Amino acid sequence: MAHPASADPLTELKQTNTGIENKKLAMWAFLASDCMFFGTLISTHLIYRRVYPDVVNPPEIFDIELTGISSFVLLASSFSMALAVSSAHKGNLKMVRIALAATIFGGLVFLAGQVYEFSHFVHHKHLTLDSNIFGSTFYLLTGTHGTHVAIGVLWLTAHLVHTFTPWHGRQNALDIESTGLYWHFVDIVWIVIFTAVYLVEYLNF
Amino acid sequence: MASTHSPDTLSHPQPGSTHDEPKHTGIWKRPLKPDGLVGWLTTVDHKKIGIAYAVAALFFFLVGGVEALLIRLQLFRPEQELITAETYNTLFTMHGTTMIFLAVMPLSTAFFNYIMPLQIGARDVAFPRLNALGLWTFILGGILLNLSWFFGGAPDMGWFGYAPLTGRQFSPDMATDFWVLSLQVLGIASLVGSFNFITTILNMRAPGLSMMRLPLFTWMTLITSFLIILAFPAITIALVELMFDRHFGTMFFDVLGGGKPILWQHLFWVFGHPEVYILILPAMGIISEVLPVFSRKPLFGYPLVVFSGAVIGFLGFAVWSHHMFTTGLGVVATSAFAFLTMLISIPTGVKIFNWIGTMWGGRITFTTPMLFAVGFIWMFMLGGFTGIMHSSPPVDAQQQDTYFVVAHFHYVLIGGSIFALFSGMYYWFPKVTGRMMSETWGKLVFYTMFAGFNLAFFPMHILGMTGMPRRTHTYQTELGLNGPNLWSTIGAFMLGFGVLMFVAQVIYSLKKGQKSGRDPWDARTLEWVTDNPPKFYNFAYTPIVHARDQFFESKHGKPERRMEKLAPDDHGIHMPDQSWWPLILSIGLFIAAFGMVVLGQPREAFPLIGGMLPEGDFSIWEFTVPGLALTLFAAFGWAYEGPGGFHVHPPASEIQDDEMGTVLRTAPTRPEPNGHSGH
């Protein structure tokens, strides 16, 4: 294959059978797999909620205002993530840094909310991993999602630091885009979790 | 892995490579030595990784085989006391786990690695370092599972690990933790491998090699990879939940806390049934390569074989509850799963008819690979017939947990998967080593294995019908089970002897086998266009494909269907650099997993050095946290290092060498259906 020095390395990376870069295609495959990870966890939670509807009354435990706000911040960070990807493709490095920092901030706010929420539940509502089946499924599901967010924050921070090094180049826009796919996915999964675990508990059937 | 550096071009001494100024990025210098121990530990070459997979898988195959022979030895005569009931439990658990996760799956992966990139005309897989990560996590996961023998005994609750048997209450020691954690490590190996193969097949095909021109084995690699990425999450989460139950007091499967053991069965079989197809689809791919070559006919009904493979993969997700008919699912669920199970025999039958159609009217030569392939069709059909029998819930209720089921799935897994994998090993041995395996010995191996296998497993049908239960370490004299058990054990040892002969033949042929030349079988697909064994850069040119079975068309077809060759430009061929990081990252995972096994165990229970350790229990700080830290460190080192790479300039003689096609200097202007390959 030709390697003309002037060509955009991103164009060259697109020269695949599908027209999608390898890294992006692999990320899509990973996200398909991750759907099944979360699907299994969410199913476990919902099955046990149905089998044991009275083991807890979740609205007595949840602090829906706090979780609602931190969920909003997390979802809003998808916007700054999209901004970071777009700026990276346009080569606007300054905007990339701002947008990455904003996304990291959103992720950290969400994580802080979750840490506060978990410690509040444990210390004041006496809901622990081993207190009842609701505690088991709730903490494992939301904790797995929190781990995803934490990995995303670490990853985005690595990108942010990388933009200040001399090694940052044009083709790193693709890496930021792949991370962006991951970040959007983690946000979308949270929409499902927030609805299935939190919001439906407030419905009065 | 995530971020990468600019693909800085490194160069190092390789035959025909250029010598630019080496630029090193990363924490330390990249390993540049292609041979020796360092070469193997840091390799990113899909061919070397494939060979390593095969060697490790064959080793574990022998280990699992010895476990099976011990089981058969115990059942040779009624009321024997060779092996205690406890040891018997560990043997059948380890036999099942080893054969599925450490023998058959990685042996298929060995072929995915070695053959698939050659079949699509690629220089390597899409992510060479990720490929190495898959290899090392597989090997370390296998070691972790077998470490249990030295830490107070191997797991003993069956390869399916049914709850609540796996809970702390009934399995207090570390054996179950070894099983849980090693399966998680092995799951990582399968997942990263599959992401890689999917990307490689979809993105890196040679120009002109459209999806419907792909060799069948590559197609089955793709479908199997999709099955793996969609099925493994279910068991991974189930294992995580079990791990939390055992270590952190959750109650997912703890009956006292309200956990439902049936949930484990559902999660396990949502994975477990697609897993059956993960084991058999690669075998079907191999058969679909071997039969056309030795029948000298193209595969009959190619699109139908591809499509039925995809349908099997899809339906494979909808039949898991047929493993649970006797749990009382209710009439509707049972009927639905019975119907879907019967449905899945249709695409399977379609394939069998296509294979028979391939042989029909062909000029058949019964070489060893062909014998194994024909044996596969026959034996797999026998396993399929009994499969249809227990797709009917009332029949299944009679057969559940008897030797009839053992006979069924060994016909599918040995007569099916193992025979096909042996067919593949005989078929591609010259490709990998450049040497032939003797036909005389090969046929002797086949007939020994074939006779031994049938003698070992056919009587099990009768045993099961008579009512002999599975997983019971002995039987009474007066039950009328003596004869078939005796023959079965004799057959098992015959099968084992056949496998030993095979191993001896491989070792002999590596040194003394006849040179194979380029095309010993008059083969059909692209992997045979290159040398045997191939150069490390696979092809000296980019093949341009104009037909299905391109190699055969180039040799015997019309002139306009011959292959063309695109010579590399002035920059040469870009090849990836070796790396330490995959090995380091998998060692980090291994340490972390080991830490979760010993978590909460008294330190003095540690073999050999236990007495020297300070008193107290293991916490997460000794192994798990350092292991995870090493994993994270390796992930950053990996990203920081970048893919690297160097350029190779193959000599012109290699590009011209054969009569396989016209050499083009520039890419064809004519639009190709699938655009451009990767490098």
Side-chain angles (χ1 to χ4, degrees):
Chain A
M1 178 167 20
H3 288 263
S6 57
D8 186 343
L10 281 182
T11 319
E12 201 179 286
L13 287 170
K14 275 196 188 3
Q15 305 279 314
T16 60
N17 298 117
T18 56
I20 304 168
E21 301 92 332
N22 285 346
K23 278 182 193 167
K24 257 167 81 178
L25 195 62
M27 180 53 76
W28 280 115
F30 167 73
L31 295 182
S33 189
D34 220 12
C35 276
M36 299 300 280
F37 279 102
F38 278 107
T40 311
L41 284 165
I42 293 169
S43 319
T44 306
H45 179 79
L46 292 182
I47 287 166
Y48 279 130
R49 272 305 283 150
R50 192 180 152 80
V51 174
Y52 301 111
D54 303 321
V55 68
V56 285
N57 183 19
E60 283 174 15
I61 295 173
F62 290 156
D63 184 350
I64 194 70
E65 291 84 2
L66 176 86
T67 315
I69 291 167
S70 71
S71 303
F72 176 77
V73 174
L74 181 71
L75 296 187
S77 75
S78 254
F79 172 72
S80 58
M81 187 68 241
L83 203 60
V85 172
S86 155
S87 314
H89 277 284
K90 287 178 187 150
N92 184 349
L93 204 56
K94 196 176 161 217
M95 197 62 215
V96 171
R97 288 171 186 153
I98 294 170
L100 281 179
T103 315
I104 293 165
F105 176 75
L108 286 176
V109 167
F110 179 81
L111 284 176
Q114 195 170 42
V115 168
Y116 172 80
E117 185 186 64
F118 279 14
S119 76
H120 180 70
F121 291 173
V122 168
H123 293 121
H124 299 285
K125 310 285 183 177
H126 306 294
L127 181 76
T128 58
L129 266 176
D130 53 1
S131 61
N132 53 46
I133 195 90
F134 181 83
S136 300
T137 61
F138 172 80
Y139 282 121
L140 193 66
L141 169 56
T142 52
T144 303
H145 182 266
T147 309
H148 274 72
V149 176
I151 289 170
V153 166
L154 268 178
W155 199 351
L156 291 168
T157 311
H159 281 310
L160 183 60
V161 172
H162 193 231
T163 61
F164 290 100
T165 65
W167 304 294
H168 187 80
R170 179 81 185 105
Q171 64 287 339
N172 291 113
L174 172 63
D175 301 327
I176 295 176
E177 195 180 348
S178 304
T179 317
L181 288 176
Y182 172 85
W183 191 260
H184 294 311
F185 172 79
V186 170
D187 284 3
I188 291 166
V189 168
W190 184 251
I191 298 177
V192 179
I193 296 174
F194 186 59
T195 311
V197 175
Y198 292 83
L199 289 182
V200 292
E201 304 289 358
Y202 291 86
L203 291 176
N204 290 311
F205 289 110
Chain B
M1 273 291 108
S3 70
T4 54
H5 278 292
S6 55
D8 280 327
T9 298
L10 303 182
S11 288
H12 52 84
Q14 294 271 16
S17 68
T18 44
H19 296 251
D20 306 336
E21 280 299 301
K23 282 181 286 178
H24 292 291
T25 53
I27 291 170
W28 53 60
K29 279 188 171 188
R30 292 188 88 121
L32 301 178
K33 216 166 138 274
D35 313 306
L37 186 65
V38 173
W40 278 97
L41 291 177
T42 63
T43 187
V44 293
D45 180 353
H46 73 96
K47 298 181 287 300
K48 278 185 161 181
I49 291 174
I51 292 170
Y53 258 110
V55 170
L58 281 175
F59 170 76
F60 285 123
F61 182 58
L62 295 181
V63 173
V66 169
E67 284 155 3
L69 289 182
L70 289 174
I71 292 172
R72 280 313 322 164
L73 214 53
Q74 162 66 15
L75 296 175
F76 184 52
R77 306 297 253 123
E79 293 174 80
Q80 287 202 118
E81 293 298 341
L82 277 175
I83 292 165
T84 61
E86 289 78 15
T87 313
Y88 188 87
N89 289 351
T90 63
L91 284 176
F92 73 66
T93 304
M94 289 297 279
H95 167 68
T97 312
T98 303
M99 285 304 194
I100 287 169
F101 294 102
L102 303 180
V104 176
M105 274 184 79
L107 204 49
S108 302
T109 313
F111 287 115
F112 296 169
N113 262 303
Y114 200 103
I115 302 300
M116 181 273 289
L118 288 166
Q119 282 196 329
I120 64 171
R123 295 266 151 59
D124 208 314
V125 292
F127 306 101
R129 290 183 296 170
L130 213 53
N131 209 18
L133 177 67
L135 170 70
W136 298 120
T137 39
F138 150 59
I139 290 178
L140 289 173
I143 291 173
L144 184 63
L145 178 67
N146 282 286
L147 267 187
S148 59
W149 294 108
F150 308 101
F151 280 77
D156 57 358
M157 67 297 161
W159 83 280
F160 39 79
Y162 273 0
L165 206 54
T166 46
R168 270 282 172 227
Q169 190 188 354
F170 301 107
S171 301
D173 54 3
M174 282 181 278
T176 307
D177 298 303
F178 271 110
W179 183 81
V180 168
L181 268 301
S182 62
L183 287 198
Q184 279 171 270
V185 173
L186 290 168
I188 294 170
S190 303
L191 285 171
V192 294
S194 301
F195 299 140
N196 210 345
F197 295 138
I198 289 173
T199 312
T200 307
I201 295 171
L202 292 180
N203 260 357
M204 294 174 66
R205 284 165 283 131
L209 187 58
S210 62
M211 290 306 277
M212 288 316 269
R213 283 177 182 168
L214 275 186
L216 235 295
F217 179 70
T218 299
W219 253 115
M220 293 306 129
T221 306
L222 181 66
I223 293 171
T224 308
S225 302
F226 270 108
L227 286 180
I228 288 175
I229 68 166
L230 298 176
F232 267 71
I235 193 174
T236 306
I237 293 300
L239 289 167
V240 169
E241 289 173 350
L242 179 58
M243 184 176 82
F244 270 69
D245 274 6
R246 290 180 61 82
H247 285 306
F248 306 119
T250 56
M251 349 178 136
F252 291 102
F253 310 115
D254 175 13
V255 186
L256 292 176
K260 297 274 179 194
I262 191 87
L263 179 68
W264 171 271
Q265 292 199 25
H266 277 293
L267 293 182
F268 182 83
W269 288 113
V270 165
F271 148 79
H273 201 81
E275 171 70 18
V276 174
Y277 297 105
I278 292 166
L279 298 172
I280 200 68
L281 285 174
M284 290 176 164
I286 293 171
I287 293 310
S288 308
E289 298 290 323
V290 170
L291 287 171
V293 169
F294 297 106
S295 308
R296 276 186 75 86
K297 271 180 69 193
L299 184 69
F300 179 78
Y302 170 97
L304 221 54
V305 182
V306 171
F307 185 65
S308 58
V311 171
I312 290 174
F314 182 74
L315 284 179
F317 280 96
V319 296
W320 79 89
S321 283
H322 70 212
H323 297 268
M324 303 161 57
F325 278 153
T326 55
T327 56
L329 296 163
V331 175
V332 176
T334 302
S335 314
F337 280 106
F339 170 73
L340 285 162
T341 305
M342 291 171 189
L343 202 65
I344 210 165
S345 63
I346 295 174
T348 317
V350 165
K351 284 196 165 214
I352 287 170
F353 280 114
N354 279 294
W355 291 324
I356 295 170
T358 306
M359 289 193 286
W360 190 271
R363 192 131 46 86
I364 300 177
T365 39
F366 282 106
T367 57
T368 312
M370 185 63 170
L371 283 174
F372 272 106
V374 178
F376 166 94
I377 300 180
W378 188 7
M379 295 299 104
F380 179 74
M381 266 167 63
L382 275 178
F385 291 150
T386 49
I388 295 172
M389 286 168 77
H390 37 242
S391 69
S392 161
V395 178
D396 179 78
Q398 292 296 311
Q399 294 163 351
Q400 169 90 15
D401 273 344
T402 69
Y403 262 82
F404 194 82
V405 179
V406 179
H408 158 71
F409 66 73
H410 281 89
Y411 264 84
V412 180
L413 288 178
I414 300 182
S417 298
I418 293 290
F419 273 27
L421 289 167
F422 269 72
S423 170
M425 286 192 279
Y426 276 99
Y427 176 58
W428 280 307
F429 189 82
K431 179 79 247 166
V432 177
T433 64
R435 290 177 186 274
M436 302 296 287
M437 286 170 89
S438 136
E439 275 299 313
T440 318
W441 280 96
K443 283 174 181 157
L444 208 59
V445 168
F446 169 73
Y447 285 115
T448 313
M449 282 180 68
F450 186 82
F453 162 69
N454 278 292
L455 190 57
F457 292 99
F458 198 83
M460 288 188 189
H461 291 111
I462 300 159
L463 286 172
M465 287 300 192
T466 319
M468 180 165 168
R470 295 168 76 176
R471 306 184 200 110
T472 306
H473 81 294
T474 192
Y475 50 93
Q476 276 71 50
T477 317
E478 56 273 14
L479 289 176
L481 306 170
N482 303 0
N485 268 311
L486 183 124
W487 288 113
S488 177
T489 300
I490 294 171
F493 275 86
M494 238 174 117
L495 180 59
F497 185 66
V499 173
L500 268 191
M501 280 205 296
F502 169 77
V503 173
Q505 197 195 356
V506 167
I507 294 168
Y508 176 83
S509 308
L510 280 174
K511 296 259 178 250
K512 301 277 175 71
Q514 261 186 343
K515 295 273 185 197
S516 68
R518 176 164 297 186
D519 182 22
W521 309 119
D522 196 7
R524 312 180 72 86
T525 38
L526 216 51
E527 77 268 26
W528 294 99
V529 173
T530 59
D531 299 337
N532 296 340
K535 299 271 190 318
F536 70 92
Y537 44 85
N538 290 359
F539 295 89
Y541 45 81
T542 305
I544 300 173
V545 176
H546 294 294
R548 200 180 285 161
D549 286 359
Q550 178 64 68
F551 188 36
F552 197 81
E553 291 288 347
S554 293
K555 289 182 289 187
H556 309 291
K558 293 185 186 126
E560 69 268 21
R561 287 161 73 85
R562 301 240 165 117
M563 192 177 100
E564 289 173 303
K565 300 191 286 193
L566 183 60
D569 63 18
D570 299 340
H571 285 79
I573 297 166
H574 183 251
M575 294 301 296
D577 265 322
Q578 287 161 241
S579 173
W580 282 107
W581 293 111
L583 181 61
I584 296 171
L585 201 151
S586 43
I587 289 174
L589 286 171
F590 175 82
I591 296 172
F594 181 77
M596 286 308 292
V597 172
V598 297
L599 176 62
Q601 300 289 339
R603 291 205 186 99
E604 56 265 27
F606 206 93
L608 300 177
I609 58 161
M612 290 177 262
L613 298 174
E615 278 191 28
D617 296 343
F618 281 110
S619 67
I620 57 168
W621 296 102
E622 284 94 349
F623 295 106
T624 305
V625 172
L628 288 178
L630 182 61
T631 307
L632 193 68
F633 169 71
F636 276 99
W638 181 312
Y640 185 57
E641 175 188 65
F646 59 95
H647 286 106
V648 183
H649 297 276
S653 59
E654 268 187 43
I655 303 169
Q656 294 289 359
D657 185 33
D658 51 69
E659 318 82 57
M660 281 306 99
T662 333
V663 180
L664 307 176
R665 289 289 153 200
T666 49
T669 46
R670 177 163 35 120
E672 287 292 341
N674 272 279
H676 223 290
S677 72
H679 289 291

